[in-house]
Amino acid sequence: MDRELRKINRKIENLRNEMVLTFIQAGAELNNPDVIHLSQLLDEQLNRYDRHVRKRFSGKLLNMCLFPIITLIKRFKKFSL
């Protein structure tokens, strides 16, 4: 896991813990404004994590798909000369 993912993951864990604690302190009310605010912040971090992972994976997936094609093209060019 790279540094950015670890940083986001720490924020997610901290926000989750803070949200749960606030939820308990608020008498287990889901519609408490503080709980809702923390939930929204947590959603933002989860989305950020997801975007970061997708960005990393899509680049690797593209390379995994293109590498065999590029290799074949290079081999074909060697034989066609």
Side-chain angles (χ1 to χ4, degrees):
M1 189 181 299
D2 68 16
R3 182 183 302 163
E4 184 66 19
L5 280 179
R6 284 193 303 270
K7 182 179 168 184
I8 298 168
N9 200 33
R10 255 191 322 273
K11 286 182 181 181
I12 288 170
E13 290 303 317
N14 291 338
L15 282 168
R16 181 179 291 136
N17 291 335
E18 187 178 352
M19 185 180 69
V20 169
L21 183 60
T22 303
F23 173 74
I24 292 168
Q25 290 173 344
E29 287 192 34
L30 288 173
N31 60 354
N32 179 284
D34 293 332
V35 174
I36 292 170
H37 177 70
L38 289 167
S39 175
Q40 291 168 341
L41 293 175
L42 179 59
D43 284 344
E44 289 173 11
Q45 292 303 311
L46 289 167
N47 289 333
R48 185 174 168 207
Y49 185 91
D50 184 57
R51 282 191 305 271
H52 191 79
V53 169
R54 286 175 187 261
K55 181 179 173 184
R56 282 186 69 200
F57 182 72
S58 68
K60 287 183 180 180
L61 184 60
L62 183 62
N63 286 338
M64 287 171 33
C65 293
L66 289 180
F67 182 73
I69 294 169
I70 292 170
T71 303
L72 285 173
I73 291 170
K74 286 180 180 179
R75 286 182 183 166
F76 180 74
K77 284 184 178 180
K78 285 181 184 178
F79 291 116
S80 64
L81 294 176

